């Protein structure tokens, strides 16, 4: 906690691991009443939040956390802003005055669930740049860990780490976090909606005021039963409904027959099955609508929140836009992925000039026309020359700049050898990791497949789904991907998983399953980029035209599995460290790509694997999931039908 590098347990990070999706028939509200125990302290310290508490039990928790960014202490003077990112939301403070001790006192409420996002990233930016501000320091705070510590204080100080080196402290930040009792949430919500129609301000509703409130909910069935509902709410029979009585009515009715079908603030449809979250959602919306929260929202990542007026101008001119999903047109200016371990959206780092050139080539007929008239051969030649350059002793001097550009994306503490061990850039690029740096999920369970690479992953039950949500090349097919190998028909209608490696990733790939390597077939081809800007282009057929090597692995639990290693621009070399006939275990190293981005595609036979639901869900939204080698991928359908579900506590999901 002190250094902002909180770690959650593997059981918490199961991320719908495909083996633990048990549902209780008991309502969420009743479970919370039984398992959530809040205690209030007497004589709270100065500066602590009134009406909020610490957690003493996390099991099955759902509630609202109030996070306040108070102040920071930096090593130089500037105008500072801070961002907090959790899940798919990012919020930012106002910009401070010129100082080395900025004060914000900016707060934001978050919906917090035990199995949902709970690791908040706090980022601090200096604001002296036109196009974007400069990230100076960050910390990561596990809100559950924060809320569980019974220190007697809601405020703690965290070290801010240098994004280029997590061992360097560049400042510190003070923040507070407290949790709101679900009962308090209901009362707070009742107080807000009561104020809408409480015209005389006495804190009570007459029948006429109550009727107007029911009408405002837009529920026709409830509107027909106003008198019945009023009598039910007026428990003491005094002819008016108090705030507590209204809160009780809403809670009871949410369990039986909800009065509110859609949020009166944002208009979002509320799931009838998710009653407490609906109450929390509306409470948060009312906070937003009344402007009670200081932080500005509407951002996907901290990088988006930190962009200056230059980027806003390009958005206004439709030159670029910031969104998650398919990367085409102006939205191809940024790539946003979901980090599975930290459960939040992050922006992929990529040079702006490269983005513009890829858009010019791959997002237009003209660009691809140029490719067809000799540029393919040029890409091949450039890749070969770049490969030779990266194998030269002189290339080693580029390693520090590479690390600086990708800042917090490369963790040198995981690397097997120190930096001075690498004599060429390619030696560093194909670096090995320390033993245990990538734990393998459910070791000994060959019926559970794992992720094959550190990468951005897309998962689809069929090739047809991949064409609908991700691959826009008109000629893509399983048969086209696998070429003329004898067993290609075995995979028709099969399940497809795409592992895209970016330049900053660990570039060794591993076996997702245990079995025997039946064959490895090399297929010559082009060297298009495997970046989503090209994959999402209707003018390009990256996976079926690029150079690739197709391996077939025979397994006991998944049948045959095709493992396709695909070369890309600057990646002319695919090296295997295993050979035909070898018996392998899931998680074993299979080979590596030399310099550049690259991709692995695994194809499973039809109805042989049940992929993890979270991976399918984000893929259906055209959002890649950031995963690590060894994280759980899916479960054998055959074994799933035969065996009881495994104990997820004994499975390791992430590094």
């Amino acid at each position: 906690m002190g250094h902002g590098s909180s770690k959650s347990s593997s059981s918490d990070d199961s991320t719908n691991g495909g083996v633990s999706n048990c549902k209780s028939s008991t309502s969420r509200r009743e479970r919370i009443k039984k398992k959530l125990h809040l205690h209030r302290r007497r004589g709270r310290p100065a500066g602590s939040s009134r009406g909020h508490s610490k957690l003493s039990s996390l099991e099955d928790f759902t509630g609202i956390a109030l996070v306040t960014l108070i102040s920071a202490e930096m090593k130089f003077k500037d105008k500072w802003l801070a961002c907090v990112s959790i899940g798919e939301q990012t919020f930012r403070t106002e910009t401070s005055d010129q100082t080395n001790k900025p004060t914000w006192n900016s707060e934001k409420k978050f919906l917090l669930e035990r199995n949902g996002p709970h690791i908040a990233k706090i980022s601090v930016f200096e604001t002296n740049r036109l196009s974007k501000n400069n990230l100076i320091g960050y910390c990561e705070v596990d809100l559950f860990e924060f809320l569980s510590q019974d220190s007697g204080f809601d405020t703690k100080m965290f070290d801010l780490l240098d994004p280029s080196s997590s061992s360097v402290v560049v400042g510190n930040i003070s923040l507070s976090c407290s949790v709101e009792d679900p009962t308090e949430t209901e009362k707070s919500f009742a107080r807000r909606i009561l104020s809408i129609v409480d015209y005389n301000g006495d804190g009570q509703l007459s029948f006429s005021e109550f009727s107007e409130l029911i009408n405002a909910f837009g529920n026709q069935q409830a509107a027909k039963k106003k008198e019945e509902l009023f009598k039910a709410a007026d428990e003491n029979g005094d002819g008016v409904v108090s705030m507590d009585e209204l809160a009780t009515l809403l809670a009871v009715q949410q369990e039986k027959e909800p009065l509110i079908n859609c949020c009166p603030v944002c208009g979002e449809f509320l799931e009838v099955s998710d009653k407490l979250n609906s109450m929390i959602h509306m409470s948060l919306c009312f906070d937003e609508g009344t402007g009670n929260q200081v932080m500005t929202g509407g951002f996907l990542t901290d990088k988006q929140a930190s962009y200056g007026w230059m980027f806003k101008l390009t958005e206004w001119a439709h030159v670029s836009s910031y969104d998650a999903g398919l990367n085409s047109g102006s939205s191809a200016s940024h790539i946003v992925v979901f980090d599975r371990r930290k459960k939040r959206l992050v922006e992929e780092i990529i040079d702006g000039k490269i983005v513009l050139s890829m858009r010019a080539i791959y997002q237009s007929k003209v660009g691809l026309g140029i490719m067809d008239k000799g540029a393919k051969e040029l890409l091949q030649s450039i890749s070969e020359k770049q490969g030779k350059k990266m194998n030269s002793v002189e290339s080693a001097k580029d390693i520090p700049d590479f690390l600086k550009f990708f800042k917090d994306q490369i963790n040198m503490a995981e690397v097997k050898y120190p930096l001075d061990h690498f004599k060429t850039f390619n030696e560093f690029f194909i670096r090995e990791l320390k033993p245990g740096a990538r734990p393998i999920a459910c070791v000994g369970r060959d019926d559970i497949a794992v992720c094959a690479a550190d990468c951005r992953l897309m998962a689809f039950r069929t090739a047809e789904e991949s064409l609908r949500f991700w691959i826009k090349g008109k000629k893509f097919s399983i048969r086209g991907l696998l070429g003329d190998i004898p067993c290609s028909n075995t995979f028709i209608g099969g399940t497809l998983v795409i592992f895209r490696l970016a330049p900053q990733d660990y570039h060794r790939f591993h076996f997702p399953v245990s079995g025997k390597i039946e064959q490895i077939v090399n297929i010559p081809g082009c060297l298009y980029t495997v970046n989503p800007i090209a994959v999402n282009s209707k003018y390009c057929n990256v996976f079926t035209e690029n150079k690739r090597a197709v391996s077939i692995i025979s397994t006991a639990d998944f049948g045959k599995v095709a493992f396709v290693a695909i070369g890309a621009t600057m990646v002319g070399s695919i090296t295997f460290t295993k050979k035909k006939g070898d018996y392998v275990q899931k998680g074993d190293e299979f080979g590596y790509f030399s310099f550049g981005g690259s991709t692995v595609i695994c194809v499973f036979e039809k109805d042989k694997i049940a992929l993890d639901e979270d991976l399918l869900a984000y893929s259906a939204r055209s959002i890649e999931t950031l995963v690590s080698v060894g994280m759980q991928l899916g479960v054998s359908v055959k074994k799933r039908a035969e065996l009881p579900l495994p104990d997820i506590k004994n499975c390791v999901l992430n590094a």
Side-chain angles (χ1 to χ4, degrees), residues 165-297:
S165 176
S166 59
S167 61
V168 177
V169 177
V170 297
N172 58 65
I173 188 168
S174 295
L175 61 95
S176 69
C177 185
S178 55
V179 67
E180 189 172 275
D181 188 322
T183 303
E184 291 297 320
T185 300
E186 291 174 346
K187 288 184 178 180
S188 173
F189 175 68
R191 189 180 299 113
R192 284 177 169 84
I193 63 171
L194 183 146
S195 66
I196 295 174
V197 292
D198 182 18
Y199 300 119
N200 58 11
D202 64 356
Q204 297 177 323
L205 297 181
S206 65
F207 178 72
S208 62
E209 291 172 330
F210 182 85
S211 297
E212 287 197 34
L213 181 61
I214 297 299
N215 290 336
F217 290 160
N219 186 324
Q220 294 182 355
Q221 294 300 318
K224 295 177 181 178
K225 301 187 294 184
K226 294 175 188 174
E227 291 188 13
E228 179 184 336
L229 291 170
F230 185 80
K231 289 179 181 178
D234 183 16
E235 294 179 343
N236 60 7
D238 61 358
V240 292
V241 174
S242 67
M243 183 197 71
D244 287 342
E245 288 174 334
L246 180 60
T248 301
L249 175 71
L250 290 172
V252 170
Q253 285 299 128
Q254 283 297 101
E255 287 293 319
K256 294 179 179 178
E257 184 181 349
L259 297 175
I260 310 172
N261 295 330
C262 64
C263 177
V265 179
C266 70
E268 181 178 327
F269 177 76
L270 302 174
E271 293 285 346
V272 175
S273 60
D274 204 5
K275 301 175 181 67
L276 182 63
N277 274 353
S278 296
M279 188 69 70
I280 292 171
H281 168 97
M282 289 185 285
S283 179
L284 291 174
C285 266
F286 268 95
D287 276 341
E288 291 292 334
T290 55
N292 288 344
Q293 306 306 314
V294 180
M295 288 195 209
T296 304

Side-chain angles (χ1 to χ4, degrees), residues 511 514-517 554 578-585 588:
F511 290 98
S514 301
K516 179 183 178 182
I517 304 173
S554 181
K578 292 287 190 293
K579 63 184 184 301
K580 177 182 175 180
D582 285 350
Y583 287 90
V584 298
Q585 293 294 315
D588 287 352

Side-chain angles (χ1 to χ4, degrees), residues 90-155:
T90 292
F91 301 88
R92 58 168 282 179
T93 66
E94 296 295 323
T95 303
S96 74
D97 296 330
Q98 185 85 9
T99 180
N100 66 329
K101 295 182 178 180
T103 298
W104 300 289
N105 287 319
S106 295
E107 64 181 32
K108 187 64 198 174
K109 288 183 178 180
F110 294 96
L111 172 62
L112 205 58
E113 295 181 283
R114 183 56 181 164
N115 293 319
H118 54 86
I119 298 178
K121 180 183 180 183
I122 315 296
S123 309
V124 178
F125 294 84
E126 60 170 341
T127 62
N128 60 354
R129 300 193 176 193
L130 294 177
S131 60
K132 64 177 181 179
N133 301 306
N134 191 31
L135 175 63
I136 299 299
Y138 76 96
C139 65
E140 292 186 337
V141 181
D142 187 326
L143 297 182
F144 279 133
E145 186 178 332
F146 191 141
L147 291 167
S148 300
Q149 292 184 351
D150 193 14
S151 62
F153 293 89
D154 286 338
T155 302

